[in-house]
Amino acid sequence: MRKLMIIILAAILASSCEMEKEQGKVVFVSVAIDYGAPSGVNALENPPEHQRVLSAQIETLTAASGDIYEEYLFLEKNGKRSLNGEDLKWNYDDILWILSELDTISTDLIIFHYSGHGDETGALVTDANTASRLQPERLLDAMTGIDGRKCLFLDSCFSGHFVKDAGYMANGEKFRDGNLETDNLVNAIMPAFDSLKKEHGNDSIWVLAAATDEQNSFDSWDNGLPGQDGFGAFSYYLAAALGYDMEHDRPGIPAEGTEITFYGIYHEIQSSMAADLRKEATPQVTLALSDPILFST
């Protein structure tokens, strides 16, 4: 009888804890630039579509998780710049200022997304007509100062520089064709062990990038998939991995009990993307031992 009472009491306490679960926050900061489609710039064809789809899906996932959604959408479309739909001639300083002003706590999720041109150093080209460049170390430093779980989704050329600079893959390991390249097993696992002590701290930054530090991102591909027109390959598979319904062009609502994790997204991209695409532009991820849950419905 006593055991039965303990079980009942434990169930009551568990259910009350669930009822008192604090509402979290998801912040989506996105930069999408088409540069007014200038000639001579090796840029993706339609980053504004990437932003539209990803923001819709992340907002849907946030609502399904019962959390608060906050977004900052830096957009250049057809030569016109805006922030959350309001005209604003922003530059990278404005992006960094927004990041510095975020009001978050350690359990919140902050997603930074970029779709546009990247130069040979990995820097994000925030204005094709000037020398403005957002270098990996500067953006990562800005992200380090934010409380919360932090992810970067980057669809740009040479974006693998961010994975190296994030610190988890300290020996320069790379994923090529979906496989980790390294000199030996020790080199593969030591960065992960080194990062374990950081993973629950404020310095943890998880990066998923479209290409290595030597590859171009691209959108010249045709696999006959629904909704493919105007999408870069990486952004297409990223949106699908997050659950967006590409065929009907609408957010996908996850079933109750769904968990979307960082490495789950990467593995979904890896398994869905054709080998020839991965060979041309191989998605990169930070290497660590645990797999953070981004959304839980």
Side-chain angles (χ1 to χ4, degrees):
M1 180 68 177
R2 183 178 177 183
K3 285 185 178 180
L4 179 60
M5 291 298 294
I6 291 173
I7 292 171
I8 293 172
L9 180 59
I12 293 172
L13 287 172
S15 106
S16 67
C17 287
E18 288 177 5
M19 291 174 61
E20 294 173 3
K21 177 186 174 184
E22 288 189 12
Q23 192 175 33
K25 182 193 290 187
V26 175
V27 181
F28 184 54
V29 180
S30 173
V31 183
I33 312 174
D34 68 4
Y35 309 100
S39 60
V41 175
N42 182 20
L44 297 171
E45 180 181 341
N46 200 0
E49 275 296 282
H50 303 169
Q51 184 182 89
R52 178 185 69 82
V53 165
L54 288 174
S55 64
Q57 183 59 30
I58 289 171
E59 183 174 9
T60 297
L61 291 172
T62 302
S65 300
D67 294 327
I68 298 167
Y69 180 70
E70 185 176 307
E71 67 179 16
Y72 300 91
L73 305 181
F74 291 89
L75 177 65
E76 180 179 304
K77 186 173 182 180
N78 299 325
K80 181 179 179 181
R81 294 201 162 192
S82 62
L83 172 60
N84 288 357
E86 299 294 329
D87 290 352
L88 177 68
K89 293 182 179 179
W90 54 266
N91 211 319
Y92 72 91
D93 286 335
D94 300 297
I95 299 167
L96 293 172
W97 184 82
I98 286 291
L99 292 174
S100 71
E101 293 296 310
L102 293 181
D103 181 16
T104 57
I105 60 175
S106 60
T107 54
D108 292 337
L109 173 63
I110 300 91
I111 298 175
F112 179 89
H113 161 252
Y114 176 85
S115 181
H117 182 43
D119 69 19
E120 291 81 358
T121 69
L124 310 181
V125 182
T126 55
D127 190 335
N129 298 317
T130 74
S132 296
R133 301 287 189 272
L134 185 50
Q135 297 291 341
E137 60 271 19
R138 188 162 187 194
L139 177 57
L140 291 169
D141 283 347
M143 296 294 292
T144 299
I146 303 171
D147 285 330
R149 299 166 293 138
K150 292 158 282 191
C151 291
L152 273 65
F153 296 147
L154 305 173
D155 193 353
S156 58
C157 298
F158 314 110
S159 49
H161 278 282
F162 278 85
V163 174
K164 293 169 64 177
D165 289 350
Y168 290 174
M169 302 181 80
N171 293 308
E173 295 83 1
K174 294 180 181 179
F175 285 87
R176 292 191 185 277
D177 302 332
N179 298 309
L180 178 65
E181 280 193 349
T182 183
D183 293 333
N184 55 54
L185 183 60
V186 174
N187 283 348
I189 64 174
M190 285 309 296
F193 278 108
D194 290 341
S195 70
L196 183 60
K197 61 181 178 291
K198 301 179 183 177
E199 284 178 23
H200 301 290
N202 200 47
D203 291 341
S204 302
I205 302 172
W206 307 82
V207 183
L208 176 54
T212 73
D213 57 350
E214 299 173 350
Q215 293 174 328
N216 291 317
S217 182
F218 65 98
D219 55 9
S220 298
W221 64 297
D222 185 4
N223 282 3
L225 297 174
Q228 185 177 324
D229 291 344
F231 258 85
F234 174 79
S235 289
Y236 183 97
Y237 286 105
L238 172 61
L242 286 166
Y244 194 83
D245 184 346
M246 301 301 294
E247 182 175 3
H248 299 98
D249 190 21
R250 64 192 181 197
I253 300 175
E256 186 176 351
T258 298
E259 286 188 346
I260 295 178
T261 69
F262 178 80
Y263 284 112
I265 293 170
Y266 166 71
H267 288 303
E268 181 64 27
I269 294 172
Q270 179 189 25
S271 63
S272 301
M273 185 180 286
D276 60 328
L277 294 178
R278 293 203 313 273
K279 190 172 295 185
E280 185 172 345
T282 309
Q284 308 289 294
V285 289
T286 47
L287 180 66
L289 294 178
S290 65
D291 187 9
I293 297 172
L294 307 185
F295 300 99
S296 180
T297 63

